[in-house]
Every structure is written in C-alpha cells, then in structure tokens.
Amino acid sequence: MPLEHARRNLILPSTMLMFLGVLSALPILVRYYRPAGGGLDVTGHPIGRDFINAWAGGRLALSGQSDILFDFGAYHAAIGALFGTPLPFHNWSYPPSTLLLLVPLAWMPYFAALAVWTVGLFAAFARMTLSQVPPGRRLRALLLLALAPACLVNAAGGQNGFLTATLLLSGVLALERRPVLAGILFGLLTCKPQLGLVLPPVLIALGAWRTIAAAVGTTLALVGASLLAFGADAWRHTLGQTSAYSYGVLASFDGFFAYMMTSVFAGARTFGLSMGTAWGLQILVAVPVLAATVWAVRRSRDPLQRAGVIAVAVPLLTPYAFNYDLTLVAAVLVWRISAAEPDAQPDLVMILAWLSPTLTMQAQILGFGGMTVVLVVLFGLLLREVAAQAPARGGLAAA
C-alpha cells in the first residue's frame, strides 16, 4: 500500500465526523444541559428538558385534566407539581391527538419514561437508518449516527426528532412496496404537522393514492379518538389559543428556542429583519424548494434519493424547524457516507450540513443567521444528482 494512501486511511471520514460532531456539541451540552443535581440541569430545567411536556401532558390527560394544557399559568404550576419542584416556563404546543401516543409513557416515573423515550426511539431510528447501510458497515454507521450533532442535541433536550425522522423516512422508503404502511406512518406524523408540509404535493404528484387514503384514514382516526377522549374543547383551544401563541412566539423571536431554529425565517429574524421580510424570504425559498422536490421525486426511482431530497426539503419549507428536526438530514448523510468508498473524503457542504444543528445554534447566539444556506446548497447538490440520471417513467410502481 503506498504511504500516501496509508496516511489517508489513518483517520476515516466517519471518524473525523464523529470527532467534529462531539467537539461542536460539547460547548452547548456543557453550557445548557449539564446535570446540576436534584434531577435538574444547570439551567434549572429537568434533565431531558422538553420531555417534561410529553410526560406531563400524558399524565394530565390520564387524570382527566387535559384542559390544563391550554391554561399557561395552570400548566406551568402543574408540571412543577408533577416533577416535585418549580420549573421554568413550558407550554403545550401539540395537537390533542398526540396525547394518545404519549399516554403509555405517563404510566411510568419521569426518568424511566425519559429512558424509554430516548433510547427506545433512537433504537427505532437507528434500525430504520441502518436498514439502508451495507451489513459490513453498520457498526461504524451506528456510532456515526449516535454521535451526530442532531442526535446529541435531540437526546439532551428530550425532543421528538428520533420519532419524527423515523415516521417520515420510514414512510418514504415504504412508498412503493408497502404503500398502506407508508400512509399510516404519515398519518402518525400529524403529531408534528409542520414537518409533513412536503407530503401532500409529493404524494399527489406520484399518484400514491393508497398511501394518501391510508394517511387520511389514520389522521381521521386519531382526531376522532382524541375527540372522544378529550372533547372538542381541546381541539378548539389548539386551533385558537395554541396556534395564536405559536405565531406570537415567531413574532417575538426571543429566548432559548430562537437559537435552536434552523429555518429561513429564523435566520432572517436572527439578522434583525422584520417579521414581514422574514416571512417573504421564507416563502421565496419554500415555493421553489417544494416545486423542485415534486420534480425530483417524480424523476427519481431510487427510494434513498427520494428520501434525501424530501428530508432536506422539510426544514426549508416550514418556518417552525428546529435543530433536533435535522435528525432527518443526519440519517441521509449517514447513508451517503456509508455508501462511499471508505477513504473518500466528505466535501465541505457535507461537513457543514453534518455540523449545522450545533453550528446554527452557536452562530445564532452570536447574531449570525446564515447557516440555513448550507441546507439550501445541500438541497441543490441533491437535485443535481437527480438531474444527472435518466428520468423515471410514471409514478409509483405500487401506487
């Protein structure tokens, strides 16, 4: 083996990305998520931070107190009482149908539920991701995925990125062979509807009618079950009060959450641009991204290629995208790295996309909102790969 080739192999690209990922996440994990005793982190939030919403929401629903979810003051007091100590402000922001998925966790003590939520959902996410990796490369791919910045941030924050990425990517991969299952998974994704904005036009363009029917049926079943369980008032509050609060959060754009947002809208607001200008830029990017995504999924027959385009499009389409939602992109990058030659060096765009969940946060703390450009460039590269291939004919083979 030539000496130069041997040197290139001393540090594999995946090893380099693991190291860079941990290095970029460490300052954030230490500053905001470091345990400080009593089940709390250094900021006074419970370890697992935002998981308190998932756990407390289920507990309140079990006890017949779901109305408290929509009373900010009562909810704040309730989560402190459930946890056993006053906590910083949290708010409930999910559709009532989400409670049906969270109730099983509410039967467990908080930290047992957090472990199931984090480890169990990562296991499902990893299984989905590794299913598309050659068997001989799966161990390294698993380590790479576990140390991805998006996964580290999601795990530290007790967030839902493992769940949403598993539902969306599993659904896309199942479109041709198991269209009904794909629709069920997409229906379950309505627990976080802003991440599914890309799906209706994509499914219509592909003529995936069985998937559409299954998604609609699953969504209606969830809504119907939540109406029976929690009443119509829960949905009325969600569509009124909760939606208004979420919009107000975008308008104020102040607080820790703003550092975690990865959308075009968030970048514009970080630069100090007005609400109207930020919305204009968001729409200016989202419309061509959506059109290009529809074009790409119709042109490509490769499920992984389709999944990659859709995954990168998702945070570009919604103003309400966060760094833990980029677990979608992490899975796509793991596929690409695992498919490449072992000593093939990742390009700068891939490295920056890998690090973007943590670099975006650090940049926005400093007032720089330009990291979304990395996702735009990555999306463009994926489109170029699709354009270089012969176009597929028609929609799905098993629509």
Side-chain angles (χ1 to χ4, degrees):
M1 178 185 292
L3 180 58
E4 182 180 352
H5 186 72
R7 285 173 177 168
R8 286 204 307 268
N9 279 276
L10 285 175
I11 301 180
L12 293 173
S14 56
T15 304
M16 177 188 69
L17 289 176
M18 290 181 209
F19 173 76
L20 291 176
V22 172
L23 189 64
S24 70
L26 200 57
I28 293 170
L29 298 179
V30 170
R31 179 175 178 181
Y32 295 108
Y33 297 105
R34 184 177 76 251
L40 302 175
D41 65 23
V42 70
T43 67
H45 292 83
I47 293 172
R49 199 170 184 119
D50 291 327
F51 178 69
I52 189 66
N53 281 324
W55 180 75
R59 286 225 158 183
L60 291 171
L62 271 179
S63 63
Q65 302 178 79
S66 57
D67 57 311
I68 288 179
L69 297 172
F70 309 102
D71 182 327
F72 295 141
Y75 181 66
H76 184 207
I79 61 172
L82 287 171
F83 194 77
T85 187
L87 297 175
F89 178 79
H90 286 75
N91 70 287
W92 175 262
S93 58
Y94 301 104
S97 51
T98 308
L99 292 169
L100 300 171
L101 308 178
L102 298 176
V103 162
L105 294 170
W107 292 102
M108 307 177 198
Y110 176 82
F111 287 106
L114 175 62
V116 170
W117 173 261
T118 304
V119 178
L121 289 179
F122 177 76
F125 174 59
R127 184 177 185 277
M128 178 277 301
T129 304
L130 298 183
S131 71
Q132 306 302 313
V133 173
R137 299 184 178 185
R138 285 179 181 171
L139 178 57
R140 182 167 288 274
L142 175 61
L143 293 174
L144 182 62
L145 188 67
L147 297 177
C151 294
L152 294 174
V153 169
N154 182 83
Q159 270 294 346
N160 50 48
F162 297 146
L163 174 63
T164 54
T166 302
L167 292 175
L168 181 60
L169 292 177
S170 295
V172 174
L173 294 174
L175 270 173
E176 295 221 23
R177 294 187 177 183
R178 305 183 70 181
V180 174
L181 173 62
I184 292 171
L185 295 173
F186 294 154
L188 293 173
L189 186 62
T190 54
C191 66
K192 200 161 181 183
Q194 68 268 30
L195 299 187
L197 294 176
V198 69
L199 292 176
V202 161
L203 295 177
I204 292 171
L206 290 173
W209 307 117
R210 292 170 63 190
T211 299
I212 292 171
V216 171
T218 301
T219 302
L220 291 176
L222 288 171
V223 172
S226 64
L227 284 169
L228 290 174
F230 312 118
D233 281 346
W235 277 100
R236 192 176 299 113
H237 287 307
T238 297
L239 297 174
Q241 181 179 338
T242 303
S243 297
Y245 178 81
S246 297
Y247 187 83
V249 163
L250 292 179
S252 64
F253 204 72
D254 180 43
F256 183 72
F257 82 93
Y259 304 143
M260 303 175 71
M261 297 187 76
T262 59
S263 64
V264 174
F265 177 95
R269 294 289 282 152
T270 298
F271 277 129
L273 299 180
S274 69
M275 183 82 160
T277 302
W279 273 113
L281 290 172
Q282 178 69 57
I283 294 169
L284 190 65
V285 171
V287 171
V289 164
L290 183 57
T293 302
V294 169
W295 168 83
V297 297
R298 281 186 57 83
R299 184 180 177 90
S300 176
R301 276 289 192 196
D302 182 350
L304 284 185
Q305 194 172 59
R306 281 176 173 166
V309 171
I310 290 171
V312 180
V314 165
L316 295 174
L317 291 176
T318 174
Y320 215 71
F322 289 85
N323 55 357
Y324 49 79
D325 295 323
L326 298 185
T327 47
L328 286 164
V329 179
V332 172
L333 294 176
V334 167
W335 291 337
R336 294 175 68 85
I337 294 163
S338 300
E341 292 298 321
D343 61 347
Q345 297 301 313
D347 57 32
L348 180 61
V349 173
M350 184 178 291
I351 294 172
L352 289 176
W354 182 256
L355 299 177
S356 64
T358 43
L359 291 187
T360 297
M361 197 169 177
Q362 293 164 350
Q364 291 186 173
I365 289 173
L366 298 175
F368 177 76
M371 283 300 296
T372 309
V373 172
V374 174
L375 293 179
V376 174
V377 174
L378 178 61
F379 183 75
L381 293 177
L382 295 177
L383 292 181
R384 187 175 68 179
E385 292 176 1
V386 173
Q389 297 180 354
R393 293 183 179 180
L396 294 174

